[in-house]
Amino acid sequence: MTSPTSTEPRAAVASLAALASRYDGRRPDRWSPVPEQLDAAIAHDIELAEAGRVARAPLVAELARRFEFPAHYLDAILLVPRERFVLPEDLAASADDTPLPLDRAGHATVSAPHAYLLTYSLLGLAPGDRLLELGTGTGYGAALARRILGPTGHVTSIEIDPALHVRAARLLGARPDPRGDDEALACSSAGPSYEGASVTLLCGDGRSLAERVLAVGRTLPSERPWKVAVTYALTAPPAALEEQLADGGVLVAPVGAWEAHQELVRVERHQGALLREIHGAVRYVAERGRG
């Protein structure tokens, strides 16, 4: 990748902001559900997409300088159009390495790009793996993971907020996928594509559904073990999820009793034992649901 000059990042951000202004005032309330027609307009805006990609190039260069992420992780940041996954009012900030809000109460955000890659690197996420994500949001993390995992991998992601689940399914191209007679389980799925891995989206309490997914996974020893990413802060280590990890399975989650005292925890099952590591201070939104 060509290194940008000192003026290029500012020009790229200015261009993105100018094009983002096309969508100013499209909604009377920034916290109302994003209409399907507006998402479609943004998705088909070729000039906006190119401006977003150019504006993310300096971000990729900065991440490469600060971290030792694999090249295909950085490629995912460049190629996945983050502008589609934020609120329309935040299009101009979509290339920034900062979390962006998704609801009025602050319960949900699109995390900063580096936060996803940090979690994926601790998981050792690689092509062909299976990722279980707790906290879909609008699907940006799942979109990054699809690129990283490639067409032989799979992402299952769980979201407690029905409105976010619906928007994530739309943005990821997932279609309703009824699961047997379990009418209470909202599920959407999309097969592998040029964007990467297949994806299954579930709507409900993250821990409860994750335990079910992991329990089924333990009965299929021929499958790769799940790698589990929690995208919101837990008040205590998720013992029930840890116990469900198959050998070789890994879980990464922010854990802390309050926002200012959270740590990124990595747990791996190796030869039957659970190995625990702490990887520094972080700040994530709090868990909703069972807790």
Side-chain angles (χ1 to χ4, degrees):
M1 178 183 301
T2 301
S3 298
T5 68
S6 60
T7 57
E8 284 175 346
R10 290 194 295 271
V13 170
S15 176
L16 177 61
L19 290 167
S21 66
R22 295 174 175 175
Y23 301 96
D24 289 347
R26 294 287 189 99
R27 303 192 299 157
D29 178 6
R30 70 174 272 132
W31 305 118
S32 62
V34 178
E36 183 175 357
Q37 297 88 340
L38 183 52
D39 270 336
I42 292 169
H44 290 94
D45 190 330
I46 297 174
E47 290 181 312
L48 180 68
E50 178 61 13
R53 187 193 64 78
V54 172
R56 286 191 300 277
L59 167 61
V60 170
E62 177 65 12
L63 294 179
R65 186 187 67 81
R66 291 173 54 200
F67 303 96
E68 296 182 357
F69 293 137
H72 63 292
Y73 283 29
L74 297 172
D75 286 343
I77 295 292
L78 183 66
L79 295 173
V80 172
R82 190 172 185 242
E83 66 274 4
R84 296 187 194 177
F85 295 91
V86 303
L87 294 180
E89 293 79 5
D90 292 327
L91 287 171
S94 62
D96 297 345
D97 191 26
T98 185
L100 294 171
L102 292 175
D103 67 351
R104 189 189 305 273
H107 292 314
T109 65
V110 180
S111 293
H114 83 270
Y116 292 103
L117 297 198
L118 180 58
T119 293
Y120 297 160
S121 65
L122 291 175
L123 290 172
L125 207 62
D129 278 344
R130 296 193 299 166
L131 174 69
L132 175 58
E133 178 187 49
L134 282 70
T136 311
T138 52
Y140 177 64
L144 291 175
R146 292 179 81 180
R147 287 276 184 181
I148 292 168
L149 297 178
T152 60
H154 180 75
V155 178
T156 289
S157 187
I158 305 167
E159 174 55 49
I160 196 170
D161 186 321
L164 288 178
H165 168 80
V166 168
R167 189 174 183 219
R170 184 165 73 226
L171 296 174
L172 293 170
R175 298 180 178 276
D177 180 16
R179 292 298 170 102
D181 57 359
D182 193 348
E183 297 179 357
L185 179 59
C187 176
S188 301
S189 64
S193 69
Y194 73 94
E195 295 179 341
S198 57
V199 62
T200 298
L201 304 177
L202 305 177
C203 186
D205 179 80
R207 293 211 213 187
S208 298
L209 291 177
E211 288 172 23
R212 290 169 57 178
V213 171
L214 292 174
V216 171
R218 289 174 70 96
T219 68
L220 301 170
S222 61
E223 298 280 359
R224 292 195 189 190
W226 285 103
K227 295 182 175 180
V228 185
V230 183
T231 67
Y232 44 76
L234 309 176
T235 57
L241 294 179
E242 294 174 4
E243 288 302 319
Q244 291 279 16
L245 289 175
D247 204 58
V250 187
L251 179 146
V252 173
V255 178
W258 55 90
E259 188 175 280
H261 292 80
Q262 298 173 4
E263 295 177 312
L264 198 59
V265 177
R266 181 185 189 274
V267 179
E268 179 178 5
R269 185 173 291 281
H270 178 68
Q271 296 181 352
L274 288 174
L275 309 178
R276 189 182 306 275
E277 302 169 351
I278 305 298
H279 288 272
V282 291
R283 180 170 291 191
Y284 281 76
V285 298
E287 177 180 27
R288 291 188 281 173
R290 182 172 58 176

